[in-house]
């Protein structure tokens, strides 16, 4: 398996706060990696370092073997990286279709409007937004906005997709649908890193998992290894809610 | 043009401008031509500003700087260097675009109110600079050599020609505005307007896109300035860089509907109509600008999308018809 992404000793500080400390891992093509950890662990910050929102103070990020540390976000998008945001970022006054077309137009494949519209239609079917084509993004509910984020990212036809809590705020049946969608995306050959607090779901879809706690990488392995790792359980026991979730009590 | 309805967003504005352009000839009235000239000028300026303000979401309070700067440069070459009016128009547009390009690199990284403030500062700085440049006549400005009109068949002919060129510029501004709005580049601008960070994450190179939007929004105003000074026969710094004219342009764009092709055109019409009424009314003539300010406030408070924007929001099918 070829390595798509290499994170080597990445450290990120915000003033005195050490948000990431010496994070190191490799990600193979075609895998789903689950990224978990308590609130404030540094998960979103890691995404922000990978896609160029932040430049890490130390360490290197290699994408397809090339050093991309400190690249601009738009350059990462053009290289084939797409992401969703934990706090959804719809283009409110544009329609659902226009939002998704923007993903296709400016992502890796740099499509013209005509092709982008076709890709948007296809992606809308795929994520189940096909009845909302001409609706303004602002008028969608949270679950639909999460799908929109996902659709926009997919329309870019990325090599690597970063999903930041796409299940948060969804009801159990919506979670089920979204998990199926994620699996289908992986089956299309797109590599995924997925930040998630809904443990049962993320354990279920991930090939490989990484656990962050206070910016430290405390465990890495298969979902079963992670679920039985005493350090991980301890990290979550500091947060009884999450510990319960880890034990498989999602609802 | 298989389906003419899909092009209504372009056809209506073109009909409006063509109507304005032929109206004075039909009525054979000089005062009608003066009125139409003022409206066409407002259409050209407001449509251009809309590319930056409406599509890209950057509020420029000093857009008139391109009108003044381009106009000065163009008039200088026409008057002092003996260039033809066409070459002078071209250089006016190019120099305004170039100014926008350089300014854009410097100030387009500012967001929101900081950008707006910077644009005011630039207009005032440019006015002060021109005021002190001897080749542009300093505080006195430049007066057009009467010989120049002769080249174009005398004053009457030259003024009539200026009118039709202005109609051409208004038409060009609308076509540019429409082409940008329905292009991939335009989609990128709209994305920047809605959420610049998210747009960059999607792969839109916002610094470049914004710069080109700024350049596009500056070129026609530069040419309009040159044409206006040509018609006026002279130019002075305070005539070339009036801050209140920038604000009037904002009112027009906001009134008609920022971010739509038709909006700024309707806004220019409505505003010039209102202004024409106010300056001739005994009660309002001295407080005409205060009334404009109040209108701006009311729009922002009650119909922030402007007239066309409001219609688009109300009637979803219009969104496809009126881009
Ligand atoms: N721009 C910033 N400036 C200062 N501190 C920040 C910034 N972004 C994140 N942080 C801090 O860095 C730490 C890690 O934040 P991050 O958002 O990466 O956590 P997370 O693991 O995604 O948490 P959650 O599960 O709540 O989303 C937190 O303490 C947060 O307050
Ligand atoms: Mg987070």
């Amino acid at each position: 398996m070829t390595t798509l992404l290499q994170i080597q000793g990445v450290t990120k500080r915000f003033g005195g706060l050490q948000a990431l400390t010496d994070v190191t891992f490799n990600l193979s093509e075609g895998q789903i990696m689950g990224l978990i950890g308590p609130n404030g662990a540094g998960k979103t910050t890691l995404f922000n370092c990978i896609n160029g929102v932040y430049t890490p103070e130390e360490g290197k990020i290699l994408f397809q073997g090339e050093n991309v540390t400190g690249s601009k976000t738009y350059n990462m998008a053009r290289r084939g990286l797409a992401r969703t945001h934990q706090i959804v970022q719809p283009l409110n006054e544009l329609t659902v279709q226009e939002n998704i077309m923007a993903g296709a137009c400016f992502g890796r494949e740099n499509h013209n409007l005509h092709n982008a519209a076709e890709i948007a239609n296809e992606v809308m079917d795929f994520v189940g937004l096909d009845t909302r084509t001409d609706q303004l993004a602002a008028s969608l509910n949270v679950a639909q906005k999460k799908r929109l984020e996902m659709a926009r990212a997919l329309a870019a036809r990325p090599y690597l997709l970063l999903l930041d809590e796409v299940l948060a705020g969804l009801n159990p049946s919506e979670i089920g649908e979204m998990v199926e969608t994620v699996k289908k995306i992986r089956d299309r050959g797109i590599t995924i890193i997925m930040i998630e607090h809904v443990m049962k779901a993320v354990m279920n879809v991930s090939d490989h998992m990484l656990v962050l706690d206070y910016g430290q990488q405390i465990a890495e392995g298969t979902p079963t290894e992670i679920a039985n790792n005493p350090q991980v359980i301890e990290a979550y026991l500091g947060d009884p809610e999450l510990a319960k979730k880890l034990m498989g009590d999602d609802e | 043009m298989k389906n003419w309805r899909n092009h209504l967003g372009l056809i209506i504005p073109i009909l409006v401008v063509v109507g304005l352009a032929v109206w004075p000839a039909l009525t054979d009235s000089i005062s009608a031509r003066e009125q139409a000239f003022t409206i066409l000028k407002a259409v050209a300026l407001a449509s251009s500003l809309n590319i930056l303000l409406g599509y890209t979401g950057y509020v420029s309070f000093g857009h008139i700087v391109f009108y003044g700067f381009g106009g000065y440069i163009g008039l200088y070459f026409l008057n002092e260097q003996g260039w033809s009016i066409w070459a002078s128009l071209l250089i006016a547009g190019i120099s305004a675009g170039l100014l926008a390009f350089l300014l854009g690199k410097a100030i387009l990284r500012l967001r929101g109110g900081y950008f707006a403030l910077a644009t005011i500062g630039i207009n005032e700085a440019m006015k002060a600079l021109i005021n002190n440049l001897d080749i542009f006549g300093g505080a006195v400005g430049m007066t057009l050599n009467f010989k120049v009109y002769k080249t174009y068949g005398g004053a009457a002919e030259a003024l009539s020609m200026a009118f039709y060129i202005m109609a051409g510029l208004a038409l060009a501004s609308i076509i540019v505005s429409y082409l940008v709005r329905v292009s991939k580049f335009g989609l990128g601008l709209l994305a920047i307007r809605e959420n610049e960070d998210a747009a960059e994450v999607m792969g839109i190179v916002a610094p470049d896109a914004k710069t080109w939007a700024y350049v596009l929004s500056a070129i026609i105003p530069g040419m309009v300035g040159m044409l206006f000074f040509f018609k006026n026969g002279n130019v002075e710094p305070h005539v070339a860089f009036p801050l209140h004219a920038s604000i009037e342009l904002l009112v027009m764009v906001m009134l008609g509907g920022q971010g739509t092709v038709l909006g700024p055109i309707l806004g220019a019409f409505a505003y010039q109509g209102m202004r024409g009424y106010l300056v001739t009314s005994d009660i309002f003539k001295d407080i005409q600008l205060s009334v404009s300010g109040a209108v701006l406030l009311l729009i922002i408070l009650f119909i922030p999308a402007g007239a066309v924007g409001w219609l688009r929001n109300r009637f979803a099918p219009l969104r496809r018809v009126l881009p």
Side-chain angles (χ1 to χ4, degrees):
Chain A
M1 266 190 286
T2 38
T3 306
L4 182 64
L5 181 74
Q6 293 163 269
I7 306 293
Q8 300 174 345
V10 163
T11 295
K12 175 70 202 164
R13 293 182 204 96
F14 294 111
L17 181 93
Q18 187 93 13
L20 291 173
T21 309
D22 197 20
V23 175
T24 300
F25 65 89
N26 285 345
L27 178 64
S28 301
E29 253 170 36
Q31 288 218 314
I32 299 184
M33 175 188 247
L35 178 57
I36 63 169
N39 291 111
K43 304 179 296 295
T44 300
T45 303
L46 180 59
F47 273 14
N48 283 334
C49 288
I50 296 173
N51 95 316
V53 175
Y54 301 137
T55 306
E57 273 80 33
E58 289 165 38
K60 265 205 304 202
I61 296 167
L62 306 184
F63 185 65
Q64 296 177 315
E66 281 181 62
N67 187 350
V68 294
T69 325
S71 286
K72 298 278 189 201
T73 49
Y74 43 78
N75 289 329
M76 291 311 292
R78 295 178 158 213
R79 280 175 183 273
L81 188 148
R83 75 174 285 183
T84 69
H85 298 88
Q86 181 171 357
I87 299 161
V88 291
Q89 311 277 336
L91 308 173
N92 278 323
E93 296 297 314
L94 301 189
T95 63
V96 167
Q97 191 188 32
E98 286 168 331
N99 266 266
I100 302 172
M101 282 170 68
C105 277
F106 301 99
R108 177 172 69 82
E109 292 181 339
N110 205 20
H111 285 288
N112 64 29
L113 283 178
H114 182 76
N115 293 343
E118 278 176 14
I119 293 171
N121 290 339
E122 189 233 330
V123 174
M124 281 187 287
D125 276 343
F126 183 73
V127 302
L129 282 173
D130 42 321
T131 56
R132 316 253 161 219
T133 314
D134 288 331
Q135 213 170 309
L136 292 186
S139 69
L140 299 177
N141 66 31
V142 177
Q144 291 160 347
K145 280 181 183 161
K146 296 233 162 185
R147 289 189 169 275
L148 179 63
E149 284 265 319
M150 180 96 110
R152 215 164 59 184
L154 278 179
R157 304 243 168 102
Y159 296 122
L160 175 61
L161 177 60
L162 307 179
L163 300 176
D164 197 345
E165 300 200 19
V166 286
L167 304 181
L170 303 190
N171 66 36
S173 85
E174 289 167 343
I175 289 180
E177 288 170 26
M178 198 61 130
V179 165
E180 283 317 303
T181 307
V182 172
K183 284 184 178 165
K184 277 198 274 174
I185 296 170
R186 191 252 325 262
D187 294 343
R188 294 180 161 199
I190 297 174
T191 312
I192 297 171
I193 307 182
M194 188 176 180
I195 295 178
E196 209 44 72
H197 285 302
V198 184
M199 287 304 157
K200 207 158 62 179
V202 68
M203 295 251 166
N204 171 352
V205 296
S206 299
D207 301 302
H208 193 80
M209 293 185 74
L210 186 91
V211 189
L212 288 180
D213 188 25
Y214 292 111
Q216 308 264 359
Q217 177 180 346
I218 59 167
E220 201 188 339
T222 64
T224 339
E225 284 164 5
I226 295 299
N228 297 314
N229 183 317
Q231 244 191 310
V232 175
I233 296 179
E234 199 190 302
Y236 275 96
L237 282 178
D239 188 338
E241 267 308 295
L242 285 170
K244 254 200 283 175
K245 283 184 180 168
L246 188 65
M247 300 311 167
D249 184 14
D250 271 338
E251 287 79 44
Chain B
M1 293 261 168
K2 264 196 317 271
N3 192 344
W4 60 273
R5 270 197 201 88
N6 288 343
H7 299 277
L8 267 186
L10 181 60
I11 295 170
I12 296 174
I14 287 180
L15 289 181
V16 170
V17 168
V18 170
L20 268 175
V22 299
W23 172 49
L26 294 181
T27 56
D28 198 19
S29 139
I30 295 288
S31 86
R33 197 179 74 195
E34 285 303 304
Q35 263 179 300
F37 185 90
T38 311
I39 298 174
L40 288 168
K41 177 184 164 199
V43 166
L45 293 175
S47 269
S48 298
L49 175 61
N50 187 41
I51 294 175
L52 184 72
L53 172 71
Y55 299 163
T56 323
Y58 276 70
V59 181
S60 168
F61 266 101
H63 217 62
I64 213 72
V65 74
F66 300 114
Y67 165 91
F69 180 75
Y72 251 102
I73 301 276
L75 202 72
Y76 171 79
F77 280 101
L78 181 79
N79 210 28
E80 315 289 330
Q81 303 294 331
W83 287 23
S84 78
I85 188 163
W86 308 108
S88 305
L89 277 171
L90 200 64
I91 193 81
I94 291 172
S95 47
L98 201 62
L99 178 66
F101 183 81
L102 298 175
L103 286 179
K105 293 280 171 213
I107 63 168
L108 277 170
R109 69 190 71 196
L110 302 173
R111 294 203 186 169
Y114 295 102
F115 175 79
L117 278 178
T119 60
I120 297 180
I122 283 163
N123 187 58
E124 296 309 294
M126 185 60 80
K127 193 195 312 189
L129 175 71
I130 300 273
N131 217 354
N132 288 298
L133 281 185
D134 287 339
I135 55 162
F136 290 147
V140 187
M142 293 185 283
T143 303
L144 197 69
N145 191 330
F146 196 67
K147 278 198 308 228
V148 176
Y149 281 161
K150 273 205 189 123
T151 329
Y152 299 98
E157 277 297 307
L159 294 188
S160 158
M161 179 180 74
F163 172 76
Y164 288 108
I165 299 176
M166 189 59 91
L169 290 179
L171 206 56
S173 74
I174 289 167
I175 292 170
V176 169
S177 170
Y178 178 81
L179 291 179
V180 169
R181 179 64 180 76
V182 300
S183 70
K184 175 172 162 176
F185 170 64
L187 181 60
L189 297 183
L190 298 180
I192 290 172
R193 176 188 78 193
E194 293 302 313
N195 187 332
E196 188 164 341
D197 292 325
E200 288 198 335
V201 167
M202 281 186 260
I204 295 163
V205 187
D208 291 352
K210 286 188 292 185
T211 302
W212 291 119
Y214 203 29
V215 169
L216 270 182
S217 76
I219 292 175
I220 290 180
M223 301 168 99
V224 168
M226 140 84 211
L227 195 61
F228 186 74
F229 304 151
F230 168 78
K231 173 173 171 287
N232 234 16
N234 78 318
V235 58
E236 293 164 50
H238 73 94
V239 176
F241 303 98
L243 201 53
H244 69 84
S246 285
I247 293 162
E248 288 179 309
L249 287 181
L250 281 175
V251 177
M252 293 175 205
V253 176
M254 302 284 294
L255 183 66
Q258 87 244 48
T260 65
V261 179
L262 186 58
I265 301 161
L266 294 187
F269 243 101
Y271 184 82
Q272 290 301 350
M274 180 185 84
R275 192 173 171 278
Y277 167 75
L278 292 176
V279 294
T280 51
S281 128
D282 287 338
I283 315 166
F284 291 118
K285 66 172 186 283
D286 297 324
I287 54 161
Q288 179 255 124
L289 279 174
S290 320
V291 175
S292 308
V295 168
L296 185 58
L297 191 67
L298 290 175
I299 300 166
I300 291 169
L301 285 176
F302 297 110
I303 39 160
V308 176
W310 182 83
L311 285 172
R312 276 170 53 96
N313 290 343
R314 257 337 255 279
F315 307 103
L318 281 181
R319 281 180 211 145
R320 275 184 190 272
V321 183
L322 296 178

